[in-house]
Amino acid sequence: MSTYRFKEDFVWGVATSSYQIEGAAHEDGRGPSIWDAFCSVPGKVVNGENGDVACDHYHRLEQDLDLMAELGMQAYRFSIAWPRVQPDGRGAFNEKGLGFYERLVDGLLKRGIQPFATLYHWDLPLALQETQNGWENRDTAYRFADYARKIGSVLGDRVASIATHNEPWCTAWLGNATGYFAPGNADLKKAANVSHHLLLSHGLALQALRADGVKAPLGIVLNQSPAHGATDSPEDQAAASLEYSKFVSWYMDPLFKGEYPATALQWYGENGPQEVIREGDFDIIGTPMDFLGINYYTRIFASASGEKRPPGVLGFTDMDWEVYPQGLTELLSGLNANYKLPPIYITENGCAARDVLDNGRVRDTDRIEFYDLHLAALSDAAQKGVDVAGYFAWSLMDNFEWASGYDKRFGMVHVDYASQQRTPKDSAHWYRDVIAQHVGAALPR
Ligand code: IFM
């Protein structure tokens, strides 16, 4: 097993999200979300699947908590389903829904596992979409801040951190520019406006939580990648710069520099968010954070001709994403040089693979190699001076992979969806050993 060099209090964990694992979509007062609606649209999700049952985690909470403890997890990153705790996205809160997350947090703490909460992992209450066009509407940012405030009052004294959004790029771009995700819009201007309101809601939530005296560290989770041109030609290099500007800088610059990046802004042209930006917005968006979460999966490969497939020296995952671990070191070093950053957590990293359950065992050697290479790359970034506070593998268990349905398996634990049987894969045992080897063992940096 490799040895990685991180600071002594480095946190080792796994991540999931509400809609991908909970199930119980119509129980205990949970309201519908935009993903419930989206999944019912023919052709949107592979095999017409949905999160109605998913991993049935809502009913198997204690068993799943025990599993995490057995696997030696120090921390667990989960998301709260807004429609489970506030069915209409405004007005009354649902005690049963809040009670579930209280049991989750208390159950983690009882087992010595730190709870890392995320407020929004894409499951917007459907009522907000239907009555006011969801994130296109500035008011939704204020509804989000109210919801954040409630979660702060219920869980703020017990969680290890609160992240506002998970991957706002996915909500804005995949949900509104390409229509690949809920709510399924294909309109560039909507995507730009949504991205601005997501960022605004992040800042408003931070300010509300701080005003209420919530002590838990606060931040946001962004998916990021370095971008490379297919060749050294000026055209391919410009294509890479543009992709980076649209994907990374579009979120980092407002959060840390108080503006949108010129390259992407110019590309958006009249479809940009200029009409919805109000005076003072960037001050709200730039509210200081205690941590930044980064989800890393692969690099962006860009070319002027539109050719998007990289050479893939280390191969591709089952998502057809290139395995490119050195991109993590490059990304983090670049961010560190360009922004004044708070401590960074890798809040997701992992791969989908064609796992086969064979006599009670899953030999997922590709996944072990993937994690090993990425942890080594992260360790390299730490050696280069990036303040890396922790790592969360995606994911604890196989789950509902959005538009790909249940076809793609990202878990360290195999889920047989017919029986809901959980079987730790070889990677789960490997990760448990990595954690045991590294916890409390600060190595010379
Ligand atoms: O499953 C998703 C997760 O919900 C967000 N980040 C990427 C993962 C893999 O696609």
Side-chain angles (χ1 to χ4, degrees):
M1 186 196 303
S2 315
T3 300
Y4 320 108
R5 295 176 174 210
F6 298 120
K7 55 188 184 180
E8 197 170 356
D9 55 355
F10 187 84
V11 173
W12 297 87
V14 273
T16 64
S17 89
S18 48
Y19 191 69
Q20 293 181 272
I21 67 164
E22 283 179 4
H26 311 289
E27 288 177 50
D28 287 349
R30 176 186 176 281
S33 82
I34 54 171
W35 268 94
D36 296 306
F38 188 70
C39 291
S40 70
V41 179
K44 291 296 184 188
V45 177
V46 169
N47 298 326
E49 289 164 338
N50 60 47
D52 278 4
V53 177
C55 305
D56 199 31
H57 171 69
Y58 188 79
H59 296 120
R60 293 165 196 265
L61 177 61
E62 290 296 320
Q63 175 195 340
D64 288 340
L65 290 169
D66 285 344
L67 183 59
M68 277 185 252
E70 280 156 28
L71 295 176
M73 296 306 160
Q74 280 195 304
Y76 175 53
R77 174 174 177 251
F78 61 95
S79 77
I80 295 162
W82 184 356
R84 196 180 286 292
V85 302
Q86 192 181 30
D88 291 333
R90 60 167 72 242
F93 285 90
N94 174 23
E95 288 306 324
K96 283 191 174 162
L98 289 165
F100 171 72
Y101 296 106
E102 288 203 86
R103 282 187 281 124
L104 168 57
V105 168
D106 290 341
L108 289 166
L109 293 173
K110 196 172 93 189
R111 291 166 177 83
I113 303 170
Q114 298 176 51
F116 280 64
T118 299
L119 297 176
Y120 187 81
H121 198 123
W122 311 348
D123 36 6
L124 183 76
L126 183 61
L128 289 180
Q129 190 67 41
E130 289 185 333
T131 59
Q132 58 181 40
N133 294 326
W135 294 108
E136 285 174 58
N137 189 328
R138 189 177 174 93
D139 181 69
T140 298
Y142 290 86
R143 303 287 66 77
F144 180 73
D146 287 349
Y147 153 63
R149 174 165 254 162
K150 179 70 175 178
I151 298 301
S153 75
V154 176
L155 299 175
D157 59 339
R158 280 171 282 172
V159 289
S161 81
I162 300 177
T164 53
H165 287 279
N166 179 74
E167 303 182 350
W169 177 85
C170 292
T171 304
W173 190 264
L174 300 181
N176 293 278
T178 68
Y180 183 61
F181 277 4
N185 294 322
D187 180 326
L188 197 55
K189 193 164 190 58
K190 284 186 183 179
N193 292 348
V194 164
S195 68
H196 185 70
H197 292 145
L198 290 168
L199 286 164
L200 180 70
S201 75
H202 155 80
L204 290 170
L206 251 56
Q207 293 188 349
L209 290 167
R210 291 248 161 78
D212 285 357
V214 170
K215 294 285 181 297
L218 307 176
I220 193 169
V221 171
L222 305 176
N223 48 329
Q224 300 199 347
S225 301
H228 295 158
T231 70
D232 288 340
S233 75
E235 293 79 13
D236 285 354
Q237 291 302 311
S241 299
L242 175 60
E243 290 306 311
Y244 188 81
S245 188
K246 285 160 60 183
F247 190 62
V248 176
S249 317
W250 192 256
Y251 294 91
M252 289 297 285
D253 285 10
L255 288 166
F256 293 101
K257 293 185 171 171
E259 61 187 11
Y260 284 108
T263 308
L265 208 49
Q266 194 180 1
W267 178 83
Y268 272 105
E270 61 183 24
N271 289 315
Q274 41 278 358
E275 283 144 37
V276 301
I277 301 173
R278 297 207 188 150
E279 205 182 329
D281 280 5
F282 287 112
D283 292 335
I284 298 171
I285 292 169
T287 304
M289 287 187 266
D290 302 307
F291 72 92
L292 173 66
I294 291 181
N295 296 350
Y296 179 76
Y297 287 91
T298 189
R299 66 169 161 167
I300 296 172
F301 192 75
S303 77
S305 68
E307 166 61 51
K308 287 277 161 60
R309 192 164 172 95
V313 179
L314 291 173
F316 296 83
T317 71
D318 198 33
M319 295 295 279
D320 211 22
W321 296 345
E322 185 191 14
V323 178
Y324 195 76
Q326 61 271 48
L328 181 57
T329 320
E330 178 189 332
L331 171 74
L332 296 182
S333 305
L335 295 177
N336 208 31
N338 281 319
Y339 302 93
K340 201 170 156 3
L341 297 175
I344 288 177
Y345 288 93
I346 297 305
T347 32
E348 288 181 24
N349 174 239
C351 68
R354 295 257 130 217
D355 298 316
V356 180
L357 184 61
D358 175 20
N359 265 325
R361 185 165 170 198
V362 179
R363 294 172 169 80
D364 56 341
T365 41
D366 287 0
R367 183 171 289 106
I368 292 174
E369 189 185 358
F370 183 98
Y371 283 133
D372 179 39
L373 292 169
H374 285 79
L375 282 164
L378 186 62
S379 175
D380 286 350
Q383 299 310 301
K384 290 184 168 149
V386 180
D387 185 358
V388 191
Y391 176 86
F392 292 80
W394 183 271
S395 178
L396 169 65
M397 56 184 146
D398 296 334
N399 58 49
F400 177 72
E401 179 53 28
W402 308 110
S404 307
Y406 294 95
D407 184 49
K408 305 294 178 198
R409 292 183 178 268
F410 272 92
M412 280 189 175
V413 173
H414 181 274
V415 177
D416 173 1
Y417 294 106
S419 66
Q420 288 296 345
Q421 168 106 24
R422 277 87 161 123
T423 307
K425 303 176 188 176
D426 283 3
S427 59
H429 300 302
W430 173 86
Y431 193 52
R432 181 194 58 206
D433 293 346
V434 167
I435 297 173
Q437 186 201 340
H438 287 81
V439 166
L443 292 158
R445 305 182 77 201

